[in-house]
Structures are given as structure tokens and as C-alpha cells.
Amino acid sequence: MRPPAIEPSVDEAAALSVAACLFNGFSDASRLAIVRHLALGEHRVVDLTAHLGLAQSTVSKHLACLRDCGLVESRPQGRASLFSLTHPEATIELLSAAERLLGLTGDAVALCPNYGQAAR
């Protein structure tokens, strides 16, 4: 006799869709560079533009995206705002896991015909 099927408590398709949204937040190289820099601590937009060599408007646009995704937050400091990771430990763990996975896959991700560097 088979045991009764257990109904999942969370709609798996919805959970996967939300997970895909999270990874879309990290999918841009500039956003990823900003996140990695914020893993070092709080920074103003001007600090990020100087360190990353990006335009102020570009950094501000990506910070707004990351804030909308709940990945960064800001607090006022004088006339500027200081940005930081909302959940630094979890974000650093995710980035570390991604680096491990990239090390294991070698160049396969970069060579992927759909999402690799040649596909851009």
C-alpha cells in the first residue's frame, strides 16, 4: 500500500520564479561588482563610481535595482547616502558558493551558447 501523497506547502513554480528573480538581480556584471564591493562595507555612490570606474548615473541605476530587489539598503549621511548589503553574511555565502561552482565548471559557463560571453 502506497503512503498518501504529501502536498507541498509552497507552490514550487512560484518559488522557482522568485529564485530566478533573485539571480536576475545578480546577472549584470556592474551590479555584481557593486555587490562585491559592498561586501567590504558601506559606501557612497561617489566611492563606488571612483572604485569601479562607472558613471554616477549607472551606479545609481544599479543601486536602485538592487534596493528594489531587497539586496541593498541605504541610510543618509549628510547630503549623501551610504549603501550597504541588506544581508551581508548570506550574500557573501552566495558569492562564495558561486565562485566554488565556477571553479568546478571551468570555462563551461563562459562558453555556454545561450548565456556565455559569445552570446552577448
Side-chain angles (χ1 to χ4, degrees), residues 7-83:
E7 293 292 321
S9 60
V10 176
D11 179 10
E12 187 175 356
L16 290 173
S17 177
V18 170
C21 291
L22 171 68
F23 285 103
N24 279 330
F26 290 112
S27 68
D28 182 89
S30 295
R31 281 195 300 274
L32 190 55
I34 290 168
V35 168
R36 291 183 64 162
H37 197 65
L38 289 176
L40 302 172
E42 290 182 312
H43 287 84
R44 299 174 301 161
V45 172
V46 67
D47 301 326
L48 293 168
T49 59
H51 178 75
L52 301 172
L54 298 171
Q56 182 273 329
S57 60
T58 300
V59 171
S60 294
K61 177 184 76 168
H62 287 305
L63 284 169
C65 174
L66 292 166
R67 184 178 31 223
D68 291 345
C69 291
L71 298 171
V72 302
E73 58 192 5
S74 64
R75 65 177 181 86
Q77 183 186 46
R79 291 178 24 192
S81 294
L82 280 174
F83 286 84

